[in-house]
Structure formats: structure tokens, C-alpha cells
Amino acid sequence: MDTKISLAVLFQEFMSTYFGWDISFAKNLRGLITKPHFVISEYLGGVRKRYMPPIVFVSFGVALSSIVMNIYSDEYLNLTSSFGETQLEIIQDSYDEGVIDEKQYQVQLDSIGTSKEIQKITLKYFNIISFLLLPIYALFTLLIFCRKYNYGEHLVINSYLLLLDICKAFELCTR
């Protein structure tokens, strides 16, 4: 059966040929957003052809989010620095009014500086941090919800949930 060539078909062939994946990323994402339990249950139940493998799915999502985070990292840091300035004013007022002493004042200032550095590192290495935390998330969910699934299945579930969390974070940031 001949299929008419459309832009969608050309795009799918291009992505499949050069990146090794098909349009299933968008389908997976849509399914996870609308019916997450259904997608995860089907995948764990053995329906694999319909869905992109979870690690590939998360890899693509984390790569996309890393690109976006690098583009908007300055805006994010500026936004959080304004929050840090507000904290500085509160700490300064508390110190001036004698609510906190010199030692507490220094500890608070140091914690604000440390927080800024952690944010910069997190933005820079988000993709690596995400993959390193994934097995830890799976271990925690295995220990907490150990009744039904094994560790590998918890990795699959957490892979899908990680990407949903990333999508939710983007949604909150764009408001």
C-alpha cells in the first residue's frame, strides 16, 4: 500500500534515519500527560512497540530541557537573585534590630552564597544530575512501594515520572 508523502512522513523518516527514533516521543509525552497510569501499566504489561523505551525517552527529554535551561539560565538566575536580595534585606533588618547576632548573620549570608552556587552547578549539569538521581529515586520507590514491582520496573516508572516532572517545571516557569 502506497502512502502519500506529507511533511509529517518526511519529518518522521528524517528523525528515524538521523536520530534513531520516530514520532513516538510526542505520542509518549501526550499519553503520559493525559493517562500516565495507562501508559506505565501497558509498558510494564509488555506492550513495548507502541512506546519509546523509557531511558531513550528520558534521555531525549533531559537533553531538550538542558538546552532550554542553558538558553534561559541567566533569566532564571536573575529571578532567583531578586529573591536572594529580598532575603538579604530581611537578614540585614533582623541583624540591625538585634534579632540575630553576628554569627547567625554570617551563617545566613554564607547560606545565600552557597545556594547561588548550587543553582549554577545544577543548571550546568542538569542532565548528568538527572541520570544519577534516577536509580536513587527507583531505590526509594522500591523500598516504599515494594509490593508489586521489581527494581527494573521502578526504573521504568521513575523514568516516565522524571520527564513528567520536567514538563511540569517548564509549565510553571512559563506562567
Side-chain angles (χ1 to χ4, degrees), residues 3-16 22-23:
T3 305
K4 291 204 178 244
I5 295 180
S6 65
L7 285 176
V9 171
L10 289 174
F11 181 72
Q12 186 173 5
E13 287 177 0
F14 172 80
M15 296 303 280
S16 178
D22 55 12
I23 304 301

Side-chain angles (χ1 to χ4, degrees), residues 43-44 54-55 58 131-139 141-142 149-162:
Y43 190 86
L44 293 177
I55 299 301
V58 169
F131 281 111
L132 290 177
L133 288 177
L134 193 57
I136 296 169
Y137 293 154
L139 180 62
T141 58
L142 176 67
Y149 302 113
N150 64 31
Y151 183 72
E153 292 167 329
H154 278 278
L155 275 173
V156 168
I157 293 167
N158 282 282
S159 296
Y160 284 137
L161 293 177
L162 175 65

